[in-house]
């Protein structure tokens, strides 16, 4: 298929590469052009503007936040102005429910198709085509996207026909992870102050049938106080909590756990932990218990 | 082995039965005597007092709370007065860190051994000898208990030599579960108010590699609003949160998630949900979003 | 003085009238023109656009929120394009710290003066020229505004030379009030459930030297469950909490009390209390304690 | 009148002295006897046991906590065993609602009268007979106590016939103060991080008609970061928050603000601020915003 790909960050570069490997014809755009050029040797063409990458059957966006997405879609020479009727925009970034709603409406008005397909997984999963994809959109559009999604992920959940629903579900996933991290952080602080070895608590929490790989992943990071390099940076974690809170306001559904997370993320930022892994909110829990880092 | 077993509630009766099946000689005591007598046909003898059940090599307690445990140990004709030096008291109830500490000291003063071994699992797991056991105590005492623990559980984690450490870890496990339930409750409320089908959110949360059986268990209960009969009653959940907060105070380690849980459990009790499954704190999240139960 | 006044809501109309009474020449603008015309018989001229009201020495804005203020300042035919160098824009709305910063910079770039002067007080205080004004701006600009501020308020606090500082202080004032309301709501719920008459608790809280008129005002509303008509509508209260949270994010200073308020305001909205007095968050506290309204 | 006074801490010593000055005959008891002997030169007799101080018409207790009060009342040679039928026990300590209930019942069973009369005010107010007294009990008992309460306080609020009601109201007063302190702490942290001078925020918060002396008192302490010596020690503040939370549990009335205070007090203790003034929870708010103390 003739595809455009916009946004070649840590996630996007792996995803684009997997599309090339699957034999698709790819035009890529990135604000910092050098990152786009790195894919030329693998067969990609480089576009000078977002619109130039939106001349095929499908354009995929994988960007940092609402503002970046808004720019490439609504800006001059952007996707909205270029994409032909019937072609599809697949938005795979973690962005707000509100912008997904706005995109769905804007594309519909121009008879362009829109699929919202945010992903679960870290950069290694993107590189290995192991992402979990949460897709929402019209049935026939999802069917057309399927080979592309299959080339980038290990599993696609079809969430709903209403595109923004995928964004709600994506935010709920990250909310669950963040809440588990916070709970682990508080638990490890209590354990340390009660004289229980962190490794022992980890062994139990990560070793029982009730737990999940993510309890093991984050429990290990916290027990070992090993927050750098970041798998997912703390300041991005705060962004997701903010999106969750924005969704909460629109829906008039309070989220006290998210509020609490927000405040702990802010403390973490204020203390200079913004570039550590987001599991470093456990440092806040530890410091609130009067603990100092093990060196 | 010659064993006493005190406390034949929903959990205790299954545990005692598994010890009988493993060929141990059992003397049982329960405040309501009729529950003890139900085991006579399976070979148990019935004791008239807690002390009478504490004349063997080991006495196991599986009671509702600190007060009940305090009564059978320190009361007149209780375990402390009867247990012979060298014999072991295995406390398997979910009780406070403070009382575990107090028991460890009281037994040591009388040269009796003390093992703290709280369990993870519901009544069905107790009946099926599938409990997860978190044990702490002196190495030689744990070695002596091993065949008994193996008869009751599928796996035993040795937590520490210091007995109360097992109680800290047990409380952390329940804390993680309760926190996940609360997070799920908030997420499902948001999803419903955002027009996302609960079943779809459940499918994703329970279907990705990051999740655990417990996300599936509780997500299903919440998505189906199926809170009765209770697997674990909400008022018992509050008890555990209270124990966690008590541990937090002793350790001077704040637990904001537990504080938030406490307040939501209290609202649930005030609204008459005390006998529902503890997943019914999700009803509080739903009601706080202005939702009414699906009938 | 030759003054423009933009925004004739419940607050603005009283403020404009007091300027007319003090002998100033007033050109008024309101989106709904009829509200502007009501002041013609008192000597005001009506402008057709915001810019038309910004041709004098001073233009005052008193608008509902950031978006409205942004529109009249930056929109086509707006204040920024019209105000002559040296003339002053006095922004008296309760708006975000961020927009105050943006206005300060935009006006400076055009050599226009900018004073931020949000107010404390309800519509009756605006009508009676009894507002408390929190003013920030360059010393000479504040001096020029003084006769106008004196015509509208009973007292002006000069906060700082940096205009947005006045907005921070204003938000802190409302934050204190909202936090006292929430605390009163929780206290009255506890008292009722403990069998203590609400009137008795009110008598003590409002009768000791430590308390303030506001404890009496809001305590009375809550004790009597008298939330309508609203002195200050609950949905506006949420707006202010949002502004406070936005300031908190920019400053990287967590505000857990504000987070908690946000969630309770959302529950109140979700339950249909948006048009009641903001003291109605006490209804949420009461309902969370399982209480039903006294009819 | 012939009075016993038990508990000569910083508060009790001033209260006892005011009773002596008013011409009453006083028998005093204190666990550390030397503090009792300091009042001999002013006319007091010293009792060797609590019971010995409970032989007159009235015995007043002013003790540190529930445990101390329980000891002098229920212990061997205690008040309950000694007080003659018809004589009155006035409990003026800040203790739990539950123990007030228990005392009311125990005294009633022995036909002794019981008045619960906790106080508002710091040691200087106790010394100057300026306490605010919150009294609850049977009308005729309160009438008999009146001259004594008048000798110790500037004002007495009669709360209810049911003695524990006074304790509920007392806890609500401290809850309001603590909540205002926390809110001030968060506000000053935000102001500092936003570049607003603390003194300016203080001037506004303490200078408007809406505010109270206590906003001025605590705002000044926080703005000046002047937490030592303590007027009311932080660890005592936590005690009061705990009592409030215990009342909340009994009443099934959640108190999220109190939960939040609990966690911040614990952090303060964990960081070694237990002996500072309780306004030092503002240090936690400041540190959570990444601020360091001004030296």
């Amino acid at each position: 298929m003739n595809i455009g790909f916009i946004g070649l960050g840590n996630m996007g570069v792996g995803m684009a590469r997997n599309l090339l490997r699957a034999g698709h014809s790819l035009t890529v755009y990135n604000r910092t052009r050098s990152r786009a050029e790195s894919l030329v040797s693998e067969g990609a063409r480089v576009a000078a503007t977002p619109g130039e990458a939106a001349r095929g059957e499908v354009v995929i966006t994988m960007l940092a936040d609402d503002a970046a997405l808004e720019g490439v879609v609504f800006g001059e020479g952007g996707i909205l102005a270029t994409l032909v009727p019937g072609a599809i925009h697949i938005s795979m970034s973690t962005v707000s429910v509100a912008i997904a709603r706005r995109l769905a409406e804007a594309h519909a008005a121009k008879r362009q198709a829109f699929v919202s397909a945010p992903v679960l997984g870290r950069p290694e999963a993107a590189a290995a085509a192991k992402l979990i994809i949460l897709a929402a959109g019209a049935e026939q559009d999802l069917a057309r996207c399927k080979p592309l999604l299959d080339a980038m992920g290990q599993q696609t959940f079809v969430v709903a026909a209403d595109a923004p629903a995928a964004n709600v579900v994506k935010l709920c996933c990250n909310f669950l992870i963040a809440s588990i991290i916070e709970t682990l952080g508080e638990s490890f602080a209590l354990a340390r102050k009660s004289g229980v070895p962190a490794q022992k608590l980890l062994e139990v929490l990560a070793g029982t049938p009730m737990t999940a790989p993510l309890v093991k992943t984050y429990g290990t990071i916290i027990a070992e106080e090993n927050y750098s390099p970041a798998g997912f940076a703390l300041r991005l974690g705060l962004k997701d909590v903010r999106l969750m809170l924005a969704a909460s306001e629109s829906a008039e559904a309070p989220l006290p756990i998210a509020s609490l997370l927000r405040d702990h993320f802010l403390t973490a930022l204020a203390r200079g932990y913004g570039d550590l892994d987001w599991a470093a909110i456990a440092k806040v829990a530890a410091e609130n218990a009067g603990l100092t880092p093990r060196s």
Side-chain angles (χ1 to χ4, degrees), chain A residues 207-226:
Chain A
T208 71
M210 74 174 188
T211 50
L214 79 90
V215 171
K216 182 158 188 192
T217 303
Y218 288 108
T220 304
I221 293 174
I222 294 167
E224 298 177 352
E225 300 180 36
N226 188 14

Side-chain angles (χ1 to χ4, degrees), chain A residues 35-74:
Chain A
R35 287 188 71 95
E37 283 164 352
S38 72
L39 288 173
V40 168
S41 64
E42 304 179 43
R45 267 164 305 146
V46 175
T49 64
E52 205 180 311
R55 291 189 181 139
E57 300 155 73
V58 170
V59 63
I60 295 171
T61 48
M62 187 65 193
L63 295 152
D65 54 27
D66 278 30
L69 180 55
E70 213 176 318
V72 303
V73 175
F74 297 99

Side-chain angles (χ1 to χ4, degrees), chain A residues 181-193 222 225 227 264 267 271 273 279-294:
Chain A
I181 294 174
E182 168 69 22
T183 305
L184 292 174
E186 297 183 13
S187 297
F188 279 96
L190 175 70
R192 280 178 62 191
K193 290 211 71 175
I222 294 167
E225 300 180 36
Y227 303 113
H264 290 205
T267 291
R271 291 189 182 152
Y273 308 155
I281 53 166
K283 284 172 69 68
V284 175
E287 290 161 4
N288 282 344
L291 292 164
T292 47
R294 281 177 243 257

Side-chain angles (χ1 to χ4, degrees), chain A residues 7-104:
Chain A
L8 297 165
N10 292 333
M11 296 292 292
V13 75
M15 294 159 73
R17 192 167 278 138
N18 285 321
L19 290 168
L20 285 166
R21 284 180 189 154
H24 298 285
S25 164
L26 217 64
T27 305
V28 298
Y29 173 81
N30 197 62
R31 207 173 42 178
T32 307
R33 192 184 169 100
S34 56
R35 287 188 71 95
E37 283 164 352
S38 72
L39 288 173
V40 168
S41 64
E42 304 179 43
R45 267 164 305 146
V46 175
T49 64
E52 205 180 311
R55 291 189 181 139
E57 300 155 73
V58 170
V59 63
I60 295 171
T61 48
M62 187 65 193
L63 295 152
D65 54 27
D66 278 30
L69 180 55
E70 213 176 318
V72 303
V73 175
F74 297 99
E76 218 176 317
I79 293 174
L80 200 66
T82 312
L83 199 65
V84 300
I88 307 179
H89 172 198
I90 312 178
S91 166
M92 303 188 76
S93 327
T94 296
V95 288
S96 72
V97 179
I99 202 174
R101 171 80 52 215
R102 199 175 147 211
L103 288 177

